[in-house]
Amino acid sequence: MGLRTADQYLKGLRDDRRVRYRGETVEDVVAHPELGLAARHASLDFALAERASHSDLAIRHDGDQPYSAYFQVPRTTDDLAARSALVEAATREGDTLVLLIKEIGTDALFALMRVLERYGLDEGQARVHEFHRHCRDGDLSLAVAQTDVKGDRSKGPSEQADPDLNLRVVETRDEGIVVRGAKSHTSCSPYVDELLVLPSRRMRPGEEDWAVAFAVPVDTPGLTLYAADFLHGDFSSFDRPVSSRHKMIETLTVFDDVLVPWDRVFLHGEAEAGGATALTFVEYHRFTAVSYKLPLLDALVGTAIAVAEANGIGRAGHVRDKLTWLAGYAETARGLIQLAAQRGDEESGIAYPDVFTTNLAKWTFARDIHYAFEVVQDLAGGLLVTGPSAVDWQAPEIRPILEKYLAAAWPAADRMAVMNLARDLTTDLYGGYQAVLALHAEGSLEAEKLQMYRAYDHEPALTYALGLAGLRDTQDDPTA
Ligand SMILES: Cc1cc2nc3c(=O)[nH]c(=O)nc-3n(C[C@H](O)[C@H](O)[C@H](O)COP(=O)(O)OP(=O)(O)OC[C@H]3O[C@@H](n4cnc5c(N)ncnc54)[C@H](O)[C@@H]3O)c2cc1C
């Protein structure tokens, strides 16, 4: 047992994994210019734990053995709050981009522990606990493949023209199960040790083959990762101060008749428990999600203030109004996620963030992210997309012209630095990636509203209103 260094984590990624990127097979993800950048970004997780200033947040002990705090099973609402603080601090380390190589995997493990216990699925439960110990003691990194490619959204897994559009069990053998299908948008999978697979939705009776949860090492035969190149490019730190150094990569994750040994099969053929696993995971994961959005929100507030000052408009009434909205937006998300922890459920042994408040936090954040970007762009002005490139900025004959004509309330160099930060955070590749990440990752806006509707206790408000209307007695209750 023990903590790994960033270097040990990166060395552990050199195995037989099959990763395809821009038409090529990647022999070594760490040596690859773009996947390697993403892996080094993720390795900040290990670097953070090594730092004495963060040890209280990032390290726990079992006896005298240290382990990564992500693997601590939350028992109390304070544990949930500490987990949120850890996710936020780690994302700050990633300069607004989540690291996500332990956050999402442990969300999935806690969900499986809760659901399998609730359904009395003891064998699966024992295997999850064993797998959790394996990951904790080896300080392993994990990706989670939940979202199926799904096919026609109006149809369930058993109604699709091709049954493989949702990952399913195609054979049961003495050694284990054989699975086929594809999961989409799997973050970080090319540069983690283990891939945890969960069902993505409720299953109907008859859809038992699709109700499956398991984990496999990423170099398992039959598993191929087709990596997205959305953030492709060789950027300068002048143009893109954040995304030239940080990157997260998603994959289309294809299982071509992959054999999963029984000791790695957590759930198999239990339709109802499969649906419960899907939902329980997303609640943990939305709690994680809002925690990891906070550094981006703080960066948006700070960037908006800085571009306004650089342009000399900091005192204008409309600017104060917009900055106040932006600060209120960031603090609403922060306050709601703290409340989701505080209101969490401790009763069942593994603490669980409050469902209504968690979804409200995620929905609030996602619903307004585009307006938050608009505020920053509004205050920054058109230089966001018409400013000089790094090449021009460094050219000795051009630089003096740019310094003369691009100066405003701040000197041109400082003004361009905050303009380019605003550009990186809210426009082109990284800004676009963050906007879609906010809207869709951890579930769409509608998914969050649906959970809010289900979790809200309508009764007290209705009873109160009926009382005010003079209809307090049940016999007079028109809704009864
Ligand atoms: C950057 C990024 C990283 C991600 N990382 C991961 C990851 O690590 N692991 C993972 O498992 N997933 C991951 N996701 C997936 C994420 O959870 C999904 O994007 C999300 O659940 C939405 O699914 P979808 O993209 O298939 O969109 P869709 O489900 O197709 O949604 C598109 C629209 O259709 C609507 N819709 C969908 N179904 C219906 C229906 N039946 N009836 C009416 N309306 C419907 C939705 O509300 C939405 O408005 C990631 C996504 C992104 C963008």
Side-chain angles (χ1 to χ4, degrees):
M1 193 201 282
L3 294 162
R4 287 195 297 171
T5 62
D7 209 37
Q8 286 169 327
Y9 152 71
L10 292 170
K11 283 201 176 103
L13 302 176
R14 295 200 157 107
D15 56 20
D16 293 333
R17 62 192 59 211
R18 276 161 308 286
V19 181
R20 306 270 308 174
Y21 187 74
R22 293 174 66 80
E24 289 178 2
T25 299
V26 178
E27 297 299 340
D28 179 344
V29 292
V30 180
H32 188 273
E34 306 209 28
L35 288 150
L37 195 151
R40 281 187 293 283
H41 164 78
S43 76
L44 292 171
D45 175 276
F46 296 90
L48 183 86
E50 282 181 72
R51 211 167 308 137
S53 56
H54 285 73
S55 57
D56 281 356
L57 208 54
I59 300 174
R60 296 287 175 270
H61 289 86
D62 185 2
D64 56 0
Q65 292 296 327
Y67 67 90
S68 165
Y70 287 108
F71 293 105
Q72 182 190 12
V73 180
R75 302 289 177 197
T76 66
T77 56
D78 284 348
D79 291 344
L80 288 174
R83 184 172 166 83
S84 174
L86 171 61
V87 173
E88 181 180 348
T91 310
R92 214 168 274 283
E93 199 69 11
D95 292 346
T96 70
L97 184 62
V98 64
L99 309 180
L100 209 66
I101 53 166
K102 289 180 189 157
E103 297 86 329
I104 189 169
T106 47
D107 286 338
L109 287 172
F110 303 153
L112 280 163
M113 287 175 185
R114 270 181 76 96
V115 172
L116 297 177
E117 185 172 356
R118 182 163 14 118
Y119 283 85
L121 299 169
D122 297 338
E123 209 171 353
Q125 169 84 336
R127 290 172 188 162
V128 170
H129 281 280
E130 185 50 43
F131 180 67
H132 171 257
R133 263 191 302 279
H134 168 71
C135 296
R136 185 194 73 169
D137 295 355
D139 202 15
L140 299 185
S141 54
L142 302 99
V144 172
Q146 179 186 42
T147 310
D148 285 284
V149 290
K150 294 184 284 200
D152 182 338
R153 270 58 177 161
S154 67
K155 294 181 175 151
S158 59
E159 300 161 330
Q160 299 290 340
D162 180 346
D164 299 341
L165 291 171
N166 291 269
L167 182 129
R168 67 188 176 121
V169 178
V170 289
E171 195 187 334
T172 304
R173 297 187 192 159
D174 290 346
E175 318 92 277
I177 55 172
V178 178
V179 295
R180 185 188 304 156
K183 298 278 187 176
S184 52
H185 325 303
T186 317
S187 294
C188 311
S189 47
Y191 44 92
V192 292
D193 304 296
E194 294 278 349
L195 183 67
L196 228 161
V197 176
L198 298 180
S200 64
R201 52 171 285 146
R202 285 176 177 213
M203 304 293 165
R204 300 193 187 111
E207 294 184 330
E208 285 75 14
D209 286 342
W210 287 272
V212 58
F214 60 88
V216 284
V218 171
D219 66 346
T220 296
L223 178 63
T224 307
L225 308 171
Y226 297 87
D229 73 343
F230 185 78
L231 293 168
H232 167 68
D234 181 14
F235 308 131
S236 85
S237 57
F238 173 81
D239 298 318
R240 295 179 174 87
V242 174
S243 61
S244 55
R245 291 177 296 118
H246 302 281
K247 192 192 284 272
M248 186 160 80
I249 291 180
E250 279 70 34
T251 61
L252 177 70
T253 308
V254 177
F255 296 78
D256 188 9
D257 290 359
V258 170
L259 175 67
V260 184
W262 283 116
D263 63 339
R264 290 301 194 88
V265 179
F266 308 134
L267 180 84
H268 171 221
E270 300 282 342
E272 202 182 314
T277 303
L279 274 183
T280 308
F281 164 69
V282 294
E283 300 314 348
Y284 276 117
H285 195 42
R286 283 176 195 159
F287 180 77
T288 289
V290 182
S291 309
Y292 82 62
K293 301 304 184 194
L294 299 177
L296 174 66
L297 298 191
D298 290 344
L300 291 176
V301 177
T303 305
I305 297 169
V307 290
E309 292 297 331
N311 285 343
I313 55 171
R315 288 170 180 275
H318 78 95
V319 175
R320 288 187 177 180
D321 180 64
K322 286 165 187 159
L323 292 177
T324 306
W325 180 87
L326 201 53
Y329 166 61
E331 286 305 297
T332 303
R334 178 171 276 111
L336 284 172
I337 211 60
Q338 287 167 354
L339 189 63
Q342 248 173 52
R343 287 179 168 178
D345 161 34
E346 297 179 340
E347 299 297 301
S348 43
I350 303 177
Y352 190 50
D354 179 65
V355 173
F356 180 84
T357 322
T358 300
N359 281 278
L360 176 61
K362 171 65 172 62
W363 177 63
T364 302
F365 165 78
R367 185 195 57 204
D368 286 337
I369 189 73
H370 282 88
Y371 181 64
F373 283 9
E374 182 185 324
V375 169
V376 177
Q377 292 171 5
D378 176 9
L379 302 180
L383 257 191
L384 282 184
V385 294
T386 65
S389 69
V391 184
D392 281 345
W393 187 253
Q394 266 132 33
E397 72 285 12
I398 301 179
R399 174 75 161 264
I401 315 273
L402 298 174
E403 291 201 337
K404 173 176 162 70
Y405 288 112
L406 297 182
W410 286 9
D414 296 350
R415 184 164 174 242
M416 281 318 303
V418 290
M419 284 295 164
N420 284 339
L421 176 61
R423 162 189 171 165
D424 203 11
L425 292 179
T426 71
T427 73
D428 68 25
L429 293 179
Y430 185 64
Y433 178 82
Q434 281 285 7
V436 177
L437 181 79
L439 270 194
H440 281 295
E442 307 95 27
S444 65
L445 293 171
E446 295 311 315
E448 282 129 32
K449 280 194 275 177
L450 185 64
Q451 282 304 88
M452 282 163 63
Y453 182 80
R454 286 185 183 141
Y456 184 70
D457 181 1
H458 293 79
E459 209 44 49
L462 177 64
T463 307
Y464 180 54
L466 292 181
L468 294 175
L471 299 172
R472 200 180 293 274
D473 294 340
T474 338
Q475 65 198 53
D476 295 332
D477 176 356
T479 69

